[in-house]
């Protein structure tokens, strides 16, 4: 199959089967309106490392509350971090704000329309720059995510393992990117990977690319892409201190900007390390050990966080959040798990 025929088959499939996503302008609507670069950027940042299902609610919340990049740039750090809570990878939320403010201050509130200029914005890496250039501005950029890598590995039966084979897969994807409708082409490959050429059970029988697909022909589609074995994740240990004052206020701190969960609200904790943690209570109190442990997995390690609980007098000074202002949904997932686990024990006190 020639590259033009390949692209034509894929676009015809996309015209009939494009997923309905809240940030997407579907092919039939594209004549009347163009995708909003703010929506494209926001959705692509949110979608890194997670799924459409997990992102949809957050996307709606953000765009209702901050309908433009200018509105987002004017939001407070605390409000944006709280709205992001639960979505993980919190450096993305900090960079989101930095980027929105740079678009407003350096580009008069309009996203630049080339990959090179987009790459100069905070938090925009090669993937996001290519996605915005292709989807919002219809540039022939090569957008590589896990779905696209899988489709390329199978189409060309590339058996060398990831991640070493990423550049070869990108070269293949770039060669297939057409000059006509490159934005829809990029979304079509991603949709194909998400709905037909899925990791475990590719539906080759209904795939628009079944004719040229080499992995299907050789019967190895489900085995690709191969992956180099991952190093096992280490386990780190820490202690989290949950304290409530007699007036119902909670002892909470904003974590330092740099580092894991940076800028997020959380319970005071010790350092997290592979050896047993040294206790480091945030203030003197009758801390008791309810023998409860939160388990959470980050990208590079597993965490076991044991809890210490205390009830404090109403006049205890410190970084307390009043009961009326405290929303567990403002906490990142690991901190919310600690809160959920501690609830029962604290209520028995
Ligand atoms: S034919 Fe099968 S393996 Fe090949 S691209 Fe389509 S779904 Fe994927």
């Amino acid at each position: 199959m020639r590259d033009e025929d390949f692209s034509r088959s894929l676009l015809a499939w996309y015209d009939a089967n494009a997923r309905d996503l809240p940030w997407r302008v579907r092919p039939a609507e594209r004549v009347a309106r163009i995708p909003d670069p703010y929506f494209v950027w926001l959705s692509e940042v949110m979608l890194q490392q997670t799924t459409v299902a997990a992102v949809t609610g957050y996307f709606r919340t953000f765009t209702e509350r901050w309908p433009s990049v200018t509105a987002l740039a004017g939001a407070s750090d605390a409000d944006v971090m709280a709205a992001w809570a639960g979505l993980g990878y919190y450096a993305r939320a900090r960079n989101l704000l930095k980027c929105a403010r740079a678009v407003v201050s350096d580009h008069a509130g309009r996203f630049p329309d080339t990959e090179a200029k987009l790459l100069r914005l905070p938090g925009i890496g090669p993937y996001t720059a290519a996605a915005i250039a292709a989807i919002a501005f219809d540039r022939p950029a090569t957008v590589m995510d896990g779905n696209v890598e899988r489709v390329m590995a199978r189409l060309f039966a590339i058996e060398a393992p990831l991640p070493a084979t990423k550049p070869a897969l990108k070269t293949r994807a770039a060669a297939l990117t057409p000059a006509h409708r490159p934005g829809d082409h990029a979304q079509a490959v991603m949709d194909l990977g998400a709905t037909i050429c899925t990791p475990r059970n590719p539906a080759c029988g209904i795939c628009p690319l079944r004719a040229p697909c080499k992995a299907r022909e050789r019967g190895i589609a489900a085995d690709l892409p191969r992956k180099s074995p991952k190093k096992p994740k280490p386990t780190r240990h820490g202690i989290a201190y949950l304290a409530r004052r007699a007036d119902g206020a909670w002892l909470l701190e904003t974590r330092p900007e740099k580092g894991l969960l940076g800028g997020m609200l959380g319970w005071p904790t010790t350092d997290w390390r592979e050896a047993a943690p040294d206790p480091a209570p945030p203030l003197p109190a009758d801390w008791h050990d309810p023998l409860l442990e939160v388990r959470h997995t980050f990208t590079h390690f597993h965490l076991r966080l044991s809890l210490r609980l205390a009830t404090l007098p109403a006049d205890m000074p410190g970084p307390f959040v009043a009961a009326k202002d405290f929303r567990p949904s403002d906490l990142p997932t690991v901190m919310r798990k600690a809160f959920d686990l501690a609830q029962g024990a604290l209520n028995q006190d």
Side-chain angles (χ1 to χ4, degrees):
M1 194 186 256
R2 293 177 311 156
D3 290 353
E4 308 87 87
D5 298 334
F6 169 95
S7 181
R8 203 170 300 127
S9 304
L10 187 61
L11 285 169
W13 173 82
Y14 182 67
D15 287 343
N17 297 285
R19 284 179 295 171
D20 204 1
L21 304 173
W23 45 86
R24 171 174 281 173
V25 173
R26 287 164 57 84
E29 303 156 351
R30 205 165 168 139
V31 188
R33 69 188 178 104
I34 56 164
D36 182 336
Y38 170 59
F39 283 15
V40 175
W41 163 71
L42 184 62
S43 63
E44 290 298 342
V45 174
M46 286 183 166
L47 281 164
Q48 287 162 26
Q49 316 281 346
T50 187
T51 61
V52 167
V55 161
T56 300
Y58 284 91
F59 179 82
R60 289 194 202 284
T61 303
F62 265 70
T63 50
E64 276 164 22
R65 196 161 169 192
W66 300 295
S68 67
V69 68
T70 307
L72 183 63
S76 77
D77 291 38
D79 282 349
V80 172
M81 298 311 283
W84 193 275
L87 202 46
Y89 300 94
Y90 296 98
R92 290 182 301 162
R94 293 195 300 280
N95 282 328
L96 195 78
L97 257 180
K98 279 189 203 148
C99 182
R101 289 170 183 160
V103 168
V104 169
S105 63
D106 304 345
H107 300 275
R110 296 163 71 92
F111 277 88
D113 63 359
T114 64
E115 269 182 281
K117 286 185 188 158
L118 286 160
L119 271 171
R120 285 187 220 129
L121 288 167
I124 294 194
Y127 168 79
T128 313
I132 299 171
I135 299 170
F137 299 111
D138 217 15
R139 302 263 184 200
T142 309
V143 187
M144 294 304 291
D145 69 358
N147 286 321
V148 181
E149 284 172 357
R150 183 168 60 256
V151 172
M152 293 304 133
R154 289 173 175 173
L155 264 180
F156 298 101
I158 294 173
E159 297 202 42
L162 285 168
T165 193
K166 278 174 183 269
L169 298 174
K170 185 168 184 182
T171 303
R172 297 286 192 167
L176 292 177
T177 300
H180 176 60
R181 298 178 63 191
D184 281 345
H185 169 91
Q187 294 176 91
V189 184
M190 288 193 268
D191 273 24
L192 189 82
T195 61
I196 302 264
C197 194
T198 51
R200 285 197 196 90
N201 295 306
C204 301
I206 55 166
C207 177
L209 306 180
R210 61 188 173 278
C213 181
K214 292 204 166 55
R216 184 202 55 78
E217 190 180 292
R218 293 185 203 166
I220 56 170
D223 302 332
L224 299 183
R226 299 196 198 285
K227 292 182 181 160
S228 300
K230 282 187 187 157
K231 276 197 216 145
K233 288 182 187 182
T235 298
R236 294 187 193 166
H237 303 266
I239 302 171
Y241 295 90
L242 283 78
R244 186 168 53 181
R245 266 189 338 207
D247 63 353
W250 292 94
L251 180 67
L252 282 157
E253 61 182 19
T254 301
R255 295 177 62 87
E257 276 293 310
K258 294 253 182 274
L260 211 60
L261 309 179
M264 297 299 293
L265 202 61
W267 311 109
T269 73
T270 59
D271 288 341
W272 302 345
R273 55 187 208 183
E274 288 179 41
D278 290 330
L283 43 77
D286 181 16
W287 294 102
H288 81 266
D289 182 353
L291 302 177
L292 296 172
E293 185 182 74
V294 171
R295 294 186 178 198
H296 190 76
T297 295
F298 291 96
T299 317
H300 299 297
F301 64 94
H302 302 292
L303 177 66
R304 292 187 175 191
L305 203 54
S306 74
L307 306 187
R308 299 289 182 275
L309 310 179
T311 304
L312 304 169
D315 58 356
M316 174 70 83
F320 286 90
V321 173
K324 68 175 175 42
D325 299 327
F326 175 63
R327 288 183 303 270
S329 61
D330 290 354
L331 300 173
T333 304
V334 63
M335 298 295 175
R336 197 144 89 210
K337 283 185 186 173
F339 174 73
D340 291 345
L341 207 52
Q343 276 289 300
L346 274 167
N347 289 337
Q348 284 164 16
D349 278 3

